[in-house]
Amino acid sequence: MTRRLRDLEVPELRGKRALVRVDYNVPLDDQGEVVDDTRIRASLPTLRYLLERGARPVLLSHLGRPGGAPDPSLSLAPVARALERILGEAVRLAGPADTDDAVEASREGPPGTVLLAENVRFLPGETSNDPDLARRMARLGDLYVNDAFGACHRAHASTAGLPRFLRPAVAGLLVERELEALDAVREAPDRPLVVLFGGAKIGDKIPLLEDFLDRADRVLVGGAMANTFLKAAGEEVGASLVEEDALEGAGRLLERGGETLALPTDLVVAPDEEAGEAARAVASDDVPPDEMALDIGPATREAYAGAIAEARTVFWNGPMGYFEREPFDAGTVAVARAVAKASLGGAFTVVGGGDSAAAVRRAGVADRISHVSTGGGAALEYLARGTLPALEALEPT
Ligand code: ADP
Ligand code: MG
């Protein structure tokens, strides 16, 4: 375990500049305004904790993939405005974190103001974890707090590099809460442990799925991931989204899966994503060659809901279908409701993944889930390895 923000004494915080790596990688609309402020809200406990103890938060975040050069469309300016509104305190935006201007700004201003440095990915050296950049960024603070759970699986300068040059280096309240929830799934979960995998980023998730075949009582697969498994099993999947590179891995899992692994027995197909009116359910071995599977079918929904109802612990990553558009959201909504119902019945339930989190919010059940993670890749990697590169760089206890 790493040292935590809550382990620091007040004198270690009062009057100090707390350099906090947050994850404000939020979606923006065409006008450049923040559409979903979940990740900003998730940072509030740490910010308030610091402000209440007289520390001066200096925030670092990335936004999008500007590729190491300034890109005005990926400025954190709209994020600073959104944070100011939500926090109810003044938030100043400084230049990039490696500049003397930013260092000066970190020392200026009345206590209680929050400083946000411009997008760390404008800096060459951030994603390559350049130690010189990390050392320059360390000048912005007197202590380092990592609260960017969604970025902890990345060994970048602001996540894994910086804490090596700035101590104390501790985990923030959000990171602590995330790890606690994921540990409850990873270490001695109440059984049955039912895991659901869907979504589209299949190759990335195969190693984790493999791991869960040993650990979980049931592994239920849906979404585009199921198409890949069905194709690997020799089924005709028509024009469905399939990750060709993942077929071999999927085939290997099928051989090992046995009773634990469940694939959809029926699917909702249509000529394409736009053709919602033509949607109909077919058996999984009956996908027409010129149509695509865009959701799990009603029999599968029922079967998966039944397995979820018996679970004492649930982990879910990846939507069951093309949930952004009706009627292909039905499978995802049914599963979301089943998971929420299991929580009400006392099961411990965790949802991880950007799209998965959006899906449970859309289904209106997010507040009934035990924990909705702010990180997709980070949550998955933590479940598989029990640690993350950015956590390993913090002070051990
Ligand atoms: P998460 O962000 O929760 O980790 P992913 O990014 O892996 O999830 O996958 C989410 C995406 O997968 C969504 O955009 C969703 O529309 C898409 N998807 C899921 N099932 C299908 C399908 N059957 N066909 C096409 N797209 C799908
Ligand atoms: Mg996603």
Side-chain angles (χ1 to χ4, degrees):
M1 190 45 199
T2 63
R3 206 169 172 205
R4 304 164 307 172
L5 175 57
R6 289 195 297 138
D7 297 328
L8 300 183
E9 307 287 341
V10 173
E12 292 176 278
L13 297 172
R14 190 181 298 128
K16 299 286 201 296
R17 296 168 305 154
L19 186 52
V20 189
R21 177 56 161 98
V22 289
D23 178 7
Y24 289 165
N25 185 31
V26 294
L28 304 176
D29 64 16
D30 317 339
Q31 316 298 316
E33 289 305 313
V34 176
V35 224
D36 181 346
D37 60 12
T38 310
R39 284 181 163 170
I40 300 177
R41 288 183 189 280
S43 73
L44 294 187
T46 286
L47 299 188
R48 295 221 164 96
Y49 186 94
L50 289 167
L51 289 168
E52 279 163 15
R53 284 158 185 78
R56 304 154 65 96
V58 177
L59 313 181
L60 298 176
S61 179
H62 74 285
L63 176 63
R65 295 171 184 255
D71 173 349
S73 73
L74 292 173
S75 165
L76 285 169
V79 173
R81 287 196 295 275
L83 175 61
E84 188 163 82
R85 203 167 49 239
I86 300 167
L87 183 65
E89 304 282 353
V91 176
R92 293 177 298 150
L93 181 68
D98 67 339
T99 58
D100 291 337
D101 285 354
V103 177
E104 257 167 56
S106 73
R107 298 212 168 89
E108 284 163 3
T113 52
V114 176
L115 185 73
L116 174 62
E118 188 52 283
N119 196 341
V120 288
R121 288 199 190 161
F122 286 0
L123 303 170
E126 164 61 6
T127 58
S128 61
N129 192 7
D130 175 5
D132 287 330
L133 174 61
R135 199 178 290 118
R136 288 199 300 278
M137 292 200 274
R139 298 185 305 158
L140 288 180
D142 303 310
L143 66 131
Y144 177 83
V145 181
N146 188 333
D147 217 24
F149 180 71
C152 282
H153 59 315
R154 306 278 184 219
H156 292 172
S158 66
T159 56
L162 211 173
R164 307 217 185 259
F165 297 105
L166 183 59
R167 296 284 152 118
V170 296
L173 301 179
L174 172 63
V175 165
E176 193 185 337
R177 195 158 55 85
E178 294 270 8
L179 299 184
E180 199 177 53
L182 295 170
D183 282 339
V185 175
R186 220 184 103 77
E187 297 164 5
D190 279 347
R191 294 194 176 269
L193 166 62
V194 174
V195 174
L196 289 112
F197 276 105
K201 283 182 265 164
I202 299 141
D204 294 352
K205 297 177 185 174
I206 292 248
L208 184 64
L209 237 148
E210 200 152 8
D211 183 67
F212 267 120
L213 279 181
D214 295 329
R215 275 198 240 192
D217 299 290
R218 300 299 307 279
V219 175
L220 315 175
V221 178
M225 179 177 275
N227 301 337
T228 304
F229 272 95
L230 289 167
K231 180 158 183 182
E235 298 293 353
E236 162 75 67
V237 294
S240 302
L241 178 61
V242 165
E243 204 172 295
E244 298 290 335
D245 291 349
L247 283 173
E248 204 187 304
R252 209 173 50 234
L253 292 185
L254 280 174
E255 280 167 28
R256 286 196 33 208
E259 293 282 287
T260 310
L261 184 66
L263 295 181
T265 55
D266 62 344
L267 296 162
V268 173
V269 298
D272 59 61
E273 295 94 335
E274 312 289 317
E277 73 293 336
R280 65 201 165 88
V282 300
S284 313
D285 57 4
D286 216 8
V287 176
D290 51 352
E291 296 196 40
M292 45 173 67
L294 290 160
D295 196 9
I296 56 173
T300 305
R301 277 170 225 163
E302 203 167 310
Y304 286 7
I308 293 165
E310 284 172 22
R312 299 298 302 155
T313 309
V314 178
F315 177 75
W316 176 20
N317 168 267
M320 294 289 109
Y322 187 74
F323 77 105
E324 291 94 336
R325 186 158 297 198
E326 286 178 13
F328 309 114
D329 60 341
T332 301
V333 170
V335 161
R337 290 198 180 128
V339 175
K341 200 168 161 195
S343 310
L344 289 181
F348 185 72
T349 58
V350 178
V351 175
D355 292 290
S356 315
V360 294
R361 282 197 294 275
R362 229 181 101 143
V365 298
D367 56 355
R368 276 184 259 156
I369 309 289
S370 310
H371 182 73
V372 180
S373 178
T374 53
L380 292 171
E381 190 176 325
Y382 184 80
L383 285 174
R385 294 181 49 227
T387 184
L388 295 169
L391 299 177
E392 284 162 11
L394 297 175
E395 260 178 288
T397 43

